[in-house]
Amino acid sequence: MPAISAQAPGKTILCGEHAVVYGQPAIAIPVTQVQARAVVTANPRGAANQIHIIAPDIQLDDYLENLAESHPIKRLFTSLRHSLNLSHFPAFDLRITSTIPIAGGMGSGAAVSVAVLRAVSQFLGHPMNNEQISSLTFEVEKSYHGTPSGIDNTVITYARPIFFIRGQPFETLHAIHPLTFLIADSGVRSETATVVGDVRQAWKKNPEHYEALFHAIGTLTVQVRRRLERGPTEEIGGFLTANHQLLQELGVSSPELDRLVNAALAAGAQGAKLTGAGRGGNILALVGEDKMASVSQALRDAGAVNLYQTNLMPSHDEVEK
Ligand code: MEV
């Protein structure tokens, strides 16, 4: 039997992170330049449930049964087994690789889950559709992120730009003009669960103040959507920078992220903000073609350890459910 492989992209949040956990809308786009990949190879001579996992990026080379129950890959398989109602798995080898930075705000964990669920469910002869994959990935994210909004698993599974409100069906965004974003990695690693937890503590202490900030972010997200879909797209950058200021007020930026944002703006980016949970990870900058080289250089000079480019292209595809 030939090996079965599947992949899933990284993601970046254009606007609305954190506020989306509290019911406000957010916009996310896939970053196809980075991918998680899962390859399943049958092991016809192996015993039932003998699943050999090789994930060099996290120095994992072991059998599933040896992983702690709390290990994200173990949780994923437990959810998969329940969901498919399987008494056991046939033996196979699973190789997981990823070019998505770990704990960098680009959805590396969710992308690995999506790629593994796609490849393994197909291998088992029960290929899951996007809705099933997204919802199982969400279950797994919940078990170690606490209160995820669901935006990461959704944008990564469907691999298209989305307008997302927690608990509601997402909408696919159709930009009227292509837009180019540079994503700059601060090199600082930060756990989403910790930052989301800190915002929750701060919100509990001062709900009125934080809800006003969430509401301002939500309002701005709606403005960005309108301009993406109807223009003028030149106004989007200003909203992104305003979103960064609100994220600073939420307490999720850091000197490294602020330095990158300021460098991008000084070099001619139309707008810039941190993206994802913050404290570390990445910033994103909306950059015109003519400023690409100068903004890239400025970001490197300001400490970016990696740069990714992602384009939001006009599209009229229908959503596959
Ligand atoms: C993380 O990519 C985005 C956050 O809003 C958390 C979430 O929505 O689950 C910070």
Side-chain angles (χ1 to χ4, degrees), residues 14-15 35 74 143 174 190 208 233 248 309 313 321:
L14 225 54
C15 48
Q35 298 273 344
K74 183 76 160 248
S143 66
H174 300 289
S190 145
E208 261 173 44
T233 47
Q248 285 175 318
Q309 189 179 319
M313 300 306 286
K321 284 281 176 188

Side-chain angles (χ1 to χ4, degrees), residues 11 13 17-18 20-21 147-149 151-152 192 196 276-277:
K11 65 90 198 173
I13 296 194
E17 52 273 269
H18 287 292
V20 68
V21 175
T147 55
S149 63
I151 192 167
D152 287 10
T192 299
V196 170

Side-chain angles (χ1 to χ4, degrees), residues 73-91:
I73 293 178
K74 183 76 160 248
R75 285 188 174 156
L76 187 63
F77 273 92
T78 308
S79 304
L80 178 65
R81 194 161 52 77
H82 289 151
S83 160
L84 295 180
N85 212 0
L86 297 175
S87 57
H88 66 275
F89 289 110

Side-chain angles (χ1 to χ4, degrees), residues 235-246:
E235 290 178 7
I236 292 173
F239 285 108
L240 299 185
T241 307
N243 192 169
H244 183 70
Q245 285 152 2
L246 290 164

